[in-house]
Amino acid sequence: MPKPYTPNDKWSQRAAAEGYRARSVYKLMELDERFGLLKPGMTVLDLGAAPGSWLQYTSQQIGPEGRAIGLDLAPIEPIGKNVETLTQDITDLGAIDRILQERSIKQVDLILSDIAPNTSGIKDVDQWRSVELNQSAVAIAEKWLKPGGRCVLKIFRGADFDEFLGQLKRTLRDVRIVTVKASRNRSREVYLVMKK
Ligand SMILES: C[S@@+](CC[C@H](N)C(=O)[O-])C[C@H]1O[C@@H](n2cnc3c(N)ncnc32)[C@H](O)[C@@H]1O
């Protein structure tokens, strides 16, 4: 039997104690430790970034020479000088192009996406929405990620997962399916770590 959902588990308590906005920061930390994702000076795009814990960690890792842009439907409180946050639907690909072009960004070194749809409670609907969001993230990576750059996507495993994975492997390579310790026990989420 999976453990019941605990709203204030050890990860949430640790996040509060360490000044992070969400427990999900420990997922990115684990992925970074395993794959060496974040380096000083990088330009990083974070999709579905609110409330901003991944951006907080990213800001620390990329340092003053780095630059991060965080996008979400929800506004994000300011993070730091090297982070810009915008209220933006990531499925509007034309708007993403404009945002990056207006900032004279030619390509990004790393794309992070912890994006999740508002859950309906209906398993198949939630999984399909997660796939749809990830299709937009992949389109952004195809256009804006530098060759050799890494992309990290969160997705809910379900009926459409294998088909999505097949699509992904046509344009991105070295796709790894990763589970992380800080994911909730009941969650079907996995992270896909890949290269362009
Ligand atoms: C799990 S939260 C991200 C947590 C974040 N990584 C952090 O550490 O604070 C998922 C986010 O995806 C966002 N989201 C869902 N659909 C979106 C869309 N179409 N465009 C932009 N953001 C979206 C939600 O608003 C939510 O804030």
Side-chain angles (χ1 to χ4, degrees):
M1 282 277 285
K3 283 191 190 161
Y5 168 64
T6 40
N8 196 12
D9 63 10
K10 69 170 181 182
W11 300 105
S12 308
Q13 288 166 8
R14 188 175 156 197
E18 294 179 356
Y20 289 110
R21 297 179 188 181
R23 67 194 291 295
S24 39
V25 71
Y26 301 107
K27 302 175 187 176
L28 178 59
M29 278 187 196
E30 184 178 335
L31 291 167
D32 191 27
E33 276 159 25
R34 283 166 71 174
F35 295 97
L37 301 170
L38 286 154
K39 304 264 184 322
M42 275 184 158
T43 297
V44 180
L45 187 59
D46 186 2
L47 307 173
S53 77
W54 281 28
L55 286 172
Q56 288 177 289
Y57 177 72
T58 295
S59 171
Q60 294 156 10
Q61 300 306 309
I62 61 178
E65 305 299 321
R67 177 177 199 183
I69 298 180
L71 309 175
D72 202 288
L73 294 173
I76 302 170
E77 292 294 317
I79 306 273
K81 279 190 182 159
N82 56 1
V83 180
E84 185 180 3
T85 60
L86 296 159
T87 306
Q88 177 61 53
D89 182 345
I90 71 117
T91 65
D92 182 349
L93 300 179
I96 309 293
D97 289 350
R98 283 192 294 280
I99 287 168
L100 295 172
Q101 281 158 2
E102 280 164 13
R103 286 157 183 76
S104 303
I105 293 174
K106 303 257 181 302
Q107 50 188 14
V108 299
D109 299 308
L110 174 67
I111 292 182
L112 300 174
S113 172
D114 192 30
I115 206 160
N118 287 331
T119 44
S120 68
I122 305 166
K123 206 171 66 175
D124 289 344
V125 172
D126 293 339
Q127 201 260 336
W128 172 240
R129 286 189 184 151
S130 167
V131 168
E132 275 186 325
L133 288 171
N134 274 292
Q135 283 169 336
S136 294
V138 171
I140 295 167
E142 282 171 357
K143 186 152 187 190
W144 289 100
L145 188 61
K146 74 172 187 188
R150 287 279 207 9
C151 177
V152 176
L153 305 177
K154 175 168 78 182
I155 188 160
F156 296 138
R157 274 194 108 133
D160 305 297
F161 180 76
D162 288 339
E163 195 183 330
F164 174 72
L165 210 55
Q167 286 170 12
L168 194 67
K169 286 179 178 170
R170 275 181 229 135
T171 46
L172 296 163
R173 61 193 171 91
D174 296 350
V175 182
R176 301 274 302 271
I177 304 170
V178 185
T179 54
V180 292
K181 294 191 196 85
S183 286
R184 296 186 194 279
N185 291 322
R186 291 150 59 102
S187 173
R188 289 176 307 128
E189 74 183 16
V190 291
Y191 288 86
L192 302 174
V193 181
M194 67 213 87
K195 264 190 195 154
K196 188 169 180 189

